[in-house]
Amino acid sequence: MVFKIFFSTFAEIINNRISVRSFWLIIISLTFLCACDFKLKNEENEPVESVEIQRYDRLESLFLTTGDFSALQQMSTDYPVETRTLIEDVLNLGKVDDPDINNKFLAFYQDSTLQSIIIEAESQYASMDDLNKSFNDAFKKLQGWVPELKAPLIYAQICALDQSIIIGDASVGISLDKYLGEDYPPYKRYYTEEQRKTMNRENILPDCLSFYLLSRYHLPNFGTRPQFDRDMHVGKIQWVVNKAIDKPFFQSEYVTAISQYMAKHLNLSIKDLLNITDYEQFK
C-alpha cells in the first residue's frame, strides 16, 4: 500500500499550533496505515546506503517548458508513483489515466509566474552536490545510531508552490519551488516575512530529515496525549536532526530539555531515545 503525507516547511508547522495538531492527526492515520558517547560504536562498521537526490524535476521542467511529451513519458515510466502523487494528490488535476490529463498538466503550469519559478528553480539547483553530500553525511550518522533505518528515495520536483516536503512509504519529495530563498520576489506576494525565512536552501536537509523521522517514529494514542507530549516528541526529533547535521538548526525549550536529559543519561542511545513515547520523565 502506498501512502503520502504532504507538509509545509518544518519550521512553519512548529510555529503554528493548529498546523502541529493537523500534522499529528496525519501521523495517526499513517500509523493505522501501515554526544558524548551515545553508543555510536556501529557508526563506522555498518554499511551505509548512498543517497543521491533523483532529478525528477529536470524531466518535469523539460515537459512543462517545452511540451516535450517524451519527457512526460519518461516521468511516468521511471517515476510512476511520484508522477501519480504530483498529479492526483498534490495538484488535484484528476487521475493520471484520464484521457486529457497530460494537456491539463501542461496547461496548469503555463501561468507566467509558474514558468519563471520553474526556470529559477532549475537555475538555483543546477547542481545539488552540496545537498547530496549533506544527505549522505546525515544518513551515515543516522544509520550508525539506528542501523535498521533505511535511507529513502529522495527526489526533487516542482509543485507550483503547493507543498514543501512529501513523504511516501519509502520516499521523500523535495519541492524546489518552495526553497528559492526568502528574498525571492514572488514569495512576497504569497508568504509572510516569517514564512519566507524558512524557504531557503539550507532548510531542505533539516526539513526532510525531520519529517522522515517523524513518519518512522510515531506518537501513539495521540487523542489522549497532552500537548506537552506532542511538543516533546517534536523536540526529540529536532534534537536528533541537529545531531545528524552537526548543527543547532532547531532551537526551542523542548530541544533544550532533550539535550539536558541526554547529558544526564550518557548510556542512553539515540535509538533508545527515538523509541521513547512516555514523556512524564521529562517534566
Side-chain angles (χ1 to χ4, degrees):
M1 178 180 292
V2 175
F3 56 84
K4 284 82 67 173
I5 316 177
F6 313 121
F7 297 110
S8 296
T9 59
F10 195 75
E12 285 182 66
I13 287 182
I14 298 309
N15 290 329
N16 185 321
R17 178 71 68 188
I18 294 177
S19 295
V20 171
R21 291 173 179 169
S22 298
F23 164 75
W24 283 114
L25 288 174
I26 295 172
I27 287 297
I28 290 175
S29 299
L30 174 60
T31 303
F32 285 114
L33 284 175
C34 18
C36 294
D37 51 4
F38 297 112
K39 297 184 180 179
L40 307 183
K41 60 184 179 181
N42 289 328
E43 185 167 353
E44 299 299 327
N45 300 324
E46 292 290 338
V48 178
E49 304 164 68
S50 177
V51 179
E52 182 175 355
I53 300 171
Q54 300 299 300
R55 299 307 304 263
Y56 175 79
D57 63 295
R58 286 179 171 165
L59 294 172
E60 187 184 357
S61 176
L62 180 59
F63 171 63
L64 296 175
T65 57
T66 70
D68 184 347
F69 277 87
S70 65
L72 178 62
Q73 185 176 26
Q74 190 173 349
M75 288 167 60
S76 300
T77 301
D78 295 349
Y79 303 95
V81 174
E82 292 74 19
T83 300
R84 180 182 293 274
T85 299
L86 176 62
I87 291 175
E88 295 185 357
D89 300 309
V90 179
L91 302 177
N92 293 306
L93 295 177
K95 299 297 183 180
V96 291
D97 53 1
D98 288 348
D100 196 41
I101 195 64
N102 295 341
N103 291 326
K104 289 175 66 176
F105 184 34
L106 180 61
F108 182 85
Y109 280 88
Q110 296 314 299
D111 174 84
S112 59
T113 298
L114 290 180
Q115 285 289 305
S116 66
I117 286 173
I118 292 171
I119 294 171
E120 181 67 22
E122 293 307 291
S123 174
Q124 286 196 28
Y125 291 93
S127 172
M128 288 190 172
D129 290 347
D130 60 324
L131 287 168
N132 285 330
K133 182 180 186 305
S134 295
F135 271 106
N136 273 288
D137 290 346
F139 271 101
K140 179 180 179 182
K141 290 183 179 180
L142 287 171
Q143 292 178 326
W145 302 327
V146 188
E148 64 271 24
L149 183 68
K150 300 296 183 182
L153 179 146
I154 303 177
Y155 66 98
Q157 66 175 358
I158 299 167
C159 68
L161 299 180
D162 194 288
Q163 304 294 336
S164 300
I165 303 297
I166 297 175
I167 301 292
D169 54 357
S171 67
V172 174
I174 305 165
S175 298
L176 301 181
D177 47 305
K178 294 294 290 289
Y179 294 100
L180 298 178
E182 61 185 286
D183 296 324
Y184 183 53
Y187 285 170
K188 296 179 181 179
R189 283 182 271 168
Y190 307 111
Y191 303 101
T192 66
E193 181 178 357
E194 192 64 28
Q195 288 173 318
R196 295 198 302 271
K197 290 179 180 179
T198 69
M199 301 173 73
N200 297 294
R201 191 182 187 110
E202 56 265 29
N203 287 75
I204 289 178
L205 178 64
D207 278 354
C208 286
L209 294 180
S210 299
F211 285 124
Y212 183 65
L213 289 175
L214 281 167
S215 74
R216 294 311 186 258
Y217 294 92
H218 315 135
L219 185 66
N221 303 317
F222 171 83
T224 62
R225 305 299 286 268
Q227 188 62 47
F228 175 80
D229 287 16
R230 304 172 200 175
D231 290 337
M232 285 302 301
H233 194 74
V234 171
K236 175 180 71 177
I237 296 296
Q238 290 179 319
W239 183 86
V240 173
V241 170
N242 284 350
K243 287 293 178 182
I245 65 178
D246 197 24
K247 179 180 180 180
F249 186 86
F250 294 113
Q251 300 183 44
S252 73
E253 61 181 291
Y254 305 103
V255 173
T256 299
I258 295 294
S259 180
Q260 293 172 345
Y261 183 86
M262 293 301 284
K264 294 177 181 178
H265 299 81
L266 298 181
N267 291 325
L268 185 71
S269 70
I270 289 179
K271 179 178 179 179
D272 291 337
L273 174 68
L274 285 169
N275 285 305
I276 288 176
T277 56
D278 179 4
Y279 294 101
E280 284 296 317
Q281 57 194 306
F282 292 90
K283 291 183 177 179

